[in-house]
């Protein structure tokens, strides 16, 4: 097999065989095939796409590139959740404790912020003392004891994804359906859960902007899950504005705690309850949706979900008092409102730009390895469809360092459309797709 021939085959719309895909992935992970050839292959895939069989073969080759987690020593059904990436999306911090409170076991390996989107690990690290770096043994012990644990992926799980992801990030090949599907599903297949719920984001803050692409991505991933013997359901949810009002690490943890305390309603809570409901269904813990929904709602109102989060925080070395006193988390030194330049209605929010605004303030990384500031970010005061009066606050920026404030300010202003126009009809949860 010759790498250059395989790149040409893909470029010319050929279908790569399982053997060819395995050869490419094994060779790349072993350091025998250089970045520039794999970069060319990724770009060919970006343009030409992949047949379903190729996407499945790619996923399996990536999953087989490292070890697999064995969760069989944990009693009960293990159920996982993954989002394709969004802004202001702290659902994992709400959903995992809710499902644990209903008897599911959530052994979650999460990621860091990616481009304009946030990452659960970065959010959790704003809790003083909490460590997302746990050995596999301690991960399993925490899940068995608390019903949930949220940790970083160890280097020996799906190493092909780590390498390919870093290359995609710098070669304009992130937003490709087969590449996203294989990236996410390879990690889910090795992380040991029995059932999976996927939150596929659609809209201007998602990697897939349009409904056709998002639906295709959801169908591709659920089909891969089914083929691999994992029950998989995907919800397609809206990302045409930040899901919660908070964008930034400690701010998002605070908002998630407020939802778990029963103090906040809104889109973040609605999507979280829907995801948790699907997790109880896909795992077989509940037989019908009405029962699942009722279990989830009582886990929230009884305080048991909040209690589970506190237990997980303690088990991972963090200070569980943040549950009562969110002010124990880092706070930015200054709060600067962004005011509306005119009166009217908010008819569009550029969600990726809002994510980028928080990143400029230090909530995310401009380049690989940058450190982040857990305290900074922004809090939306207005949402899509709201009427605003000139001079009213649209959002409050939470700021520490002086650099980039002007840029972040302008970035936010450019992200908001205020006019007399009509709002496009939108839903929060568009579709449920099962594999
Ligand atoms: N999240 C992932 O893990 N991989 C992708 O390719 C996109 C989002």
């Amino acid at each position: 097999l010759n790498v250059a021939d395989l790149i040409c085959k893909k470029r010319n719309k050929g279908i790569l065989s399982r053997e060819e895909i395995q050869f490419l992935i094994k060779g790349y992970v072993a350091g025998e095939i250089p970045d520039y050839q794999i970069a060319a292959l990724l770009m060919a895939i970006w343009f030409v796409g992949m047949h379903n069989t190729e996407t499945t073969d790619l996923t399996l080759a990536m999953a087989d590139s490292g070890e697999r987690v064995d969760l069989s020593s944990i009693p009960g059904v293990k159920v996982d959740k993954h989002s394709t990436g969004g802004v202001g999306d702290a659902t994992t911090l709400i959903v995992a404790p809710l499902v644990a409170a209903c008897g599911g076991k959530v052994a979650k390996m999460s990621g860091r912020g990616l481009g304009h989107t946030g990452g659960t690990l970065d959010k959790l690290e704003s809790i003083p003392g909490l460590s997302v770096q746990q050995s596999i043994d301690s991960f399993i012990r925490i899940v068995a004891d608390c019903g949930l644990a949220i940790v970083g992926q160890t280097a020996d799980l799906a190493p092909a994804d780590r390498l390919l992801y870093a290359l995609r990030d710098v070669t304009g090949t992130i937003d490709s359906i087969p590449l996203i599907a294989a990236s996410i599903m390879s990690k889910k297949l090795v992380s040991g859960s029995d059932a999976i719920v996927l939150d596929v984001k659609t809209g201007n803050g998602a990697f897939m902007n349009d409904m056709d692409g998002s639906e295709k991505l959801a169908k591709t991933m659920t089909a891969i899950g089914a083929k691999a013997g994992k029950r998989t359901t995907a919800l397609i949810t809206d990302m045409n504005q930040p899901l919660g009002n908070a964008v930034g690490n400690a701010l998002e943890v605070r908002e998630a705690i407020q939802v778990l305390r029963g103090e906040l309603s809104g889109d973040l809570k609605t999507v979280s309850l829907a995801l948790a409901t699907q997790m109880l269904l896909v795992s077989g813990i509940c037989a019908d949706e009405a029962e699942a929904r009722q279990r989830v709602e009582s886990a929230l109102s009884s305080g048991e979900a909040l209690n589970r989060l506190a237990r997980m925080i303690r088990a991972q070395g963090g200070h569980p008092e943040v549950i009562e006193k969110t002010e124990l988390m880092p706070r930015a030194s200054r709060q600067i409102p962004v005011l509306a330049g005119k009166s009217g209605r908010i008819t569009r929010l550029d969600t990726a730009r809002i994510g980028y605004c928080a990143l400029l303030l230090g909530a995310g990384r401009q380049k690989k390895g940058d450190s982040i500031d857990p305290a900074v970010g922004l809090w939306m005061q207005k949402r899509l469809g709201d009427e605003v009066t000139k001079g009213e606050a649209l959002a409050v920026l939470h700021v520490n360092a002086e650099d980039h404030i002007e840029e972040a300010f302008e970035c936010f202003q450019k992200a908001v459309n205020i006019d007399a126009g009509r709002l496009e009809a939108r839903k929060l949860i568009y579709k449920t797709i099962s594999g």
Side-chain angles (χ1 to χ4, degrees):
L1 291 173
N2 175 286
V3 180
D5 289 347
L6 296 179
I7 297 170
C8 293
K9 180 175 178 183
K10 190 67 248 174
R11 185 201 64 191
N12 297 338
K13 304 196 168 75
I15 295 180
L16 297 175
S17 69
R18 177 174 304 169
E19 186 200 5
E20 288 166 342
I21 290 173
Q22 283 171 349
F23 163 76
L24 290 163
I25 295 300
K26 273 196 187 137
Y28 185 47
V29 173
E32 289 154 7
I33 302 178
D35 276 354
Y36 56 82
Q37 285 191 305
I38 296 297
L41 177 75
L42 292 171
M43 191 51 89
I45 294 172
W46 191 92
F47 274 107
V48 172
M50 277 184 136
H51 193 270
N52 282 347
T53 57
E54 289 178 291
T55 309
T56 304
D57 288 338
L58 176 63
T59 309
L60 297 177
M62 288 166 66
D64 287 340
S65 67
E67 292 176 5
R68 287 172 189 255
V69 184
D70 180 2
L71 300 177
S72 59
S73 62
I74 304 171
V77 197
K78 276 71 77 177
V79 55
D80 204 351
K81 172 254 165 199
H82 197 91
S83 149
T84 56
V87 177
D89 172 17
T91 49
T92 293
L93 303 179
I94 302 166
V95 169
L98 277 172
V99 172
C102 296
K105 297 288 188 295
V106 188
K108 177 97 182 79
M109 292 192 166
S110 287
R112 299 209 174 263
L114 212 63
H116 66 276
T117 68
T120 304
L121 298 183
D122 296 327
K123 293 172 203 181
L124 276 175
E125 283 178 345
S126 55
I127 298 176
L130 187 140
S131 170
V132 295
Q133 243 64 62
Q134 302 286 335
S135 67
I136 293 290
D137 284 351
S138 119
F139 176 51
I140 289 175
R141 191 172 30 77
I142 297 170
V143 178
D145 288 352
C146 307
L148 75 160
I150 306 173
V151 302
Q153 187 163 324
T154 59
D156 33 9
L157 291 182
D161 179 57
R162 203 169 13 85
L163 294 172
L164 287 174
Y165 202 93
L167 198 56
R168 287 167 60 210
D169 206 14
V170 291
T171 54
T173 51
I174 295 280
D175 50 345
S176 145
I177 291 171
L179 296 178
I180 297 176
S183 164
I184 292 178
M185 292 310 289
S186 63
K187 288 179 286 211
K188 296 296 102 182
L189 297 188
V190 297
S191 57
S193 288
D194 310 306
I196 303 159
V197 171
L198 300 164
D199 182 7
V200 177
K201 305 286 187 190
T202 193
N204 62 25
F207 291 120
M208 282 293 131
N209 295 163
D210 63 289
M211 183 50 82
D212 281 356
S214 305
E215 193 166 344
K216 196 153 179 248
L217 176 60
K219 287 187 172 151
T220 306
M221 291 196 290
T222 51
I224 295 171
K227 255 188 215 139
K230 310 261 181 196
R231 290 182 304 264
T232 309
T233 297
L235 290 187
I236 301 184
T237 67
D238 189 66
M239 192 31 71
N240 283 301
Q241 63 181 328
L243 184 59
N245 291 323
V247 184
N249 299 293
L251 294 170
E252 289 186 47
V253 175
R254 179 172 312 159
E255 192 176 26
I257 290 173
Q258 286 172 337
V259 171
L260 284 172
R261 280 189 197 153
E263 296 167 1
L264 265 189
S265 300
D267 293 354
L268 174 64
K269 176 177 170 185
T270 305
V271 171
S272 299
L273 295 191
L275 289 167
T277 301
Q278 289 303 324
M279 285 170 80
L280 295 190
L281 286 174
V282 80
S283 59
I285 292 172
C286 292
D288 69 73
E289 189 157 344
E291 181 202 348
R293 179 75 194 193
Q294 195 265 324
R295 289 272 296 268
V296 166
E297 279 175 6
S298 56
L300 183 71
S301 58
S302 67
E304 182 51 22
L306 186 66
N307 176 32
R308 292 283 173 157
L309 181 65
R311 280 171 64 183
M312 184 202 88
I313 292 173
R314 186 181 298 111
Q316 294 192 210
H319 296 298
E321 308 83 72
V322 295
I323 297 294
E324 285 93 45
K325 291 193 203 144
T326 51
E327 58 278 15
L328 291 174
M329 284 188 293
R331 282 163 81 89
S333 52
R334 280 210 290 154
Q335 269 110 56
I336 312 172
V338 186
L339 307 179
K342 60 177 177 178
S343 299
R345 196 162 188 223
I346 300 185
T347 52
R348 186 174 192 277
L349 289 168
D350 183 336
T351 316
R353 224 185 252 261
I354 294 172
Y356 190 64
C357 168
L359 183 149
L360 281 172
L361 295 172
R365 297 172 187 83
Q366 309 239 35
K367 53 183 182 338
K368 229 173 127 191
D370 277 357
S371 60
I372 60 163
D373 182 341
V376 301
L378 59 96
W379 197 285
M380 309 280 297
Q381 304 288 102
K382 298 284 173 187
R383 296 182 67 80
L384 269 182
D386 284 353
E387 299 283 346
V388 296
T389 321
K390 185 176 175 187
E392 232 185 322
L394 298 170
V396 176
L397 306 188
H398 290 242
V399 172
N400 269 335
E402 291 301 308
D403 33 332
H404 300 302
I405 294 182
E406 278 302 306
E407 211 185 327
F409 208 82
E410 268 174 36
C411 183
F412 191 88
Q413 273 173 327
K414 279 195 192 139
V416 185
N417 253 47
I418 300 173
D419 55 36
R422 283 164 59 90
L423 199 63
E424 259 178 48
R426 53 176 282 275
K427 283 167 82 175
L428 185 54
I429 300 169
Y430 295 97
K431 276 186 185 156
T432 307
I433 293 172
S434 291

